[in-house]
Amino acid sequence: MVAQRRFGPLIVAVFLALFVLVARLFQVQILERNVWAQQAESLVRSSKVLPGERGKILDRDGNVLVRDELAYQIELRYRDFRRGHPLGILAHARSTIERRAVPIAEAYAHRAEWTADLLHTSQEELDHLTRGLAWKCGATAFPAAQDKERELCARRAVDVRYYVAQLLDLEPKEADGLRKRIGPERAISFLDVIAVSHGLDPGVLLARVQSNVEAACNELEKLGDVLLPATEHESEHGMLTQFERLLAAIESVRSDLEDDAADELFQNAAEFESG
């Protein structure tokens, strides 16, 4: 009886610890399997340049028949483009706002206007979006949602604020501060909030951000000149410049990724492949 009183609580504690361990293993290996699998896969990815030089091939008289030529394959990391390049940010921010797939080329055409609209949005307007009410993004008004749950209003409000922070190149702590403003401060546009905190005039800050957008687009144009030969290329919309062809190539990568994501979602929901 004495031994039972001594070891009884210890045995119960051991079984409780085992139960907690098994529950945690079930959570990690079953419920969160996809998340941890993606994390593990990202850890093992690496890259390095392996030179494949063979040297010159000469004929018997010493004339060069073949020589090495450096060649590179460029791969677009679309996730980084969407989060880090102003055109990707504007296209996806506008897609979130309008609930349609806004093309990269359209974001380029409206880059100045959409940059101003995005930065003139306030947390109060995003609160309206979260509740499914009519709201404004800068100078553009949007009607109330018919079903805020189906239209993912709360998720979209978070995404819009994220793209604002990316466009302004804010640190995580400063970006989080946009959400935590209270009272009348929530009605102040994000542009004014950041301008005051940095001791700048809002007009100066807006001009600086729009200048950064232009500079990034100019770099992209130069990349198009380097990557794509200056040959005539016709599409259903007429002749395309090298830059327009580059934007079309980026859009194609985006479309493929979205199609793959849709196929995966369908397969997870229906438990068989689409098509």
Side-chain angles (χ1 to χ4, degrees):
M1 185 66 78
V2 174
Q4 185 177 2
R5 285 198 302 270
R6 288 180 178 176
F7 292 102
L10 181 60
I11 293 174
V12 171
V14 170
F15 276 103
L16 284 175
L18 287 174
F19 176 78
V20 171
L21 177 62
V22 171
R24 179 57 179 162
L25 289 174
F26 177 81
Q27 179 185 11
V28 171
Q29 297 188 5
I30 305 299
L31 301 181
E32 301 177 355
R33 178 180 64 85
N34 292 334
V35 175
W36 293 111
Q38 292 175 0
Q39 293 290 333
E41 184 179 357
S42 66
L43 291 176
V44 299
R45 289 177 180 170
S46 62
S47 63
K48 58 182 177 180
V49 177
L50 296 176
E53 298 181 2
R54 298 179 55 184
K56 297 178 181 180
I57 298 179
L58 311 177
D59 64 11
R60 64 182 180 180
D61 297 322
N63 299 314
V64 178
L65 299 177
V66 180
R67 64 169 56 88
D68 291 320
E69 182 175 330
L70 293 177
Y72 295 90
Q73 180 178 358
I74 298 178
E75 179 181 357
L76 172 67
R77 298 173 62 93
Y78 189 77
R79 184 171 183 267
D80 294 339
F81 177 81
R82 172 174 66 86
R83 295 184 168 194
H85 195 281
L87 274 187
I89 293 170
L90 290 174
H92 282 270
R94 203 70 187 187
S95 298
T96 301
I97 291 168
E98 298 187 14
R99 297 179 60 240
R100 68 180 179 91
V102 173
I104 303 295
E106 185 177 351
Y108 175 76
H110 297 278
R111 58 194 181 279
E113 170 195 346
W114 287 357
T115 297
D117 275 353
L118 198 59
L119 298 187
H120 280 110
T121 307
S122 68
Q123 183 56 49
E124 183 178 66
E125 294 296 344
L126 294 187
D127 292 341
H128 292 167
L129 171 60
T130 300
R131 295 196 294 269
L133 306 176
W135 68 293
K136 291 189 355 181
C137 176
T140 310
F142 297 93
Q146 296 181 354
D147 186 335
K148 69 175 184 178
E149 300 299 332
R150 290 178 61 86
E151 295 179 27
L152 304 175
C153 290
R155 178 68 252 180
R156 287 163 57 209
V158 173
D159 288 348
V160 170
R161 188 174 58 247
Y162 169 80
Y163 287 120
V164 169
Q166 291 296 102
L167 197 59
L168 288 166
D169 195 23
L170 301 182
E171 296 293 333
K173 185 177 180 180
E174 192 173 16
D176 193 46
L178 298 177
R179 173 181 60 86
K180 295 180 178 179
R181 301 180 68 81
I182 60 176
E185 293 182 347
R186 297 179 80 81
I188 302 175
S189 72
F190 294 133
L191 177 67
D192 291 334
V193 171
I194 299 304
V196 170
S197 67
H198 288 244
L200 297 172
D201 180 87
V204 172
L205 179 58
L206 176 59
R208 181 179 298 179
V209 175
Q210 289 180 329
S211 176
N212 292 339
V213 172
E214 285 297 323
C217 292
N218 290 338
E219 289 295 326
L220 209 56
E221 289 187 34
K222 293 177 183 177
L223 185 63
D225 293 339
V226 171
L227 295 181
L228 302 173
T231 56
E232 294 184 351
H233 186 86
E234 187 174 1
S235 74
E236 58 181 353
H237 304 294
M239 304 307 296
L240 295 180
T241 65
Q242 292 147 282
F243 179 56
E244 289 170 336
R245 290 165 58 196
L246 178 61
L247 293 185
I250 295 174
E251 191 66 43
S252 176
V253 173
R254 171 190 178 182
S255 179
D256 290 342
L257 290 174
E258 290 175 347
D259 288 344
D260 291 343
D263 288 343
E264 184 176 352
L265 287 172
F266 180 88
Q267 185 172 353
N268 290 338
E271 297 186 351
F272 60 86
E273 295 184 1
S274 61

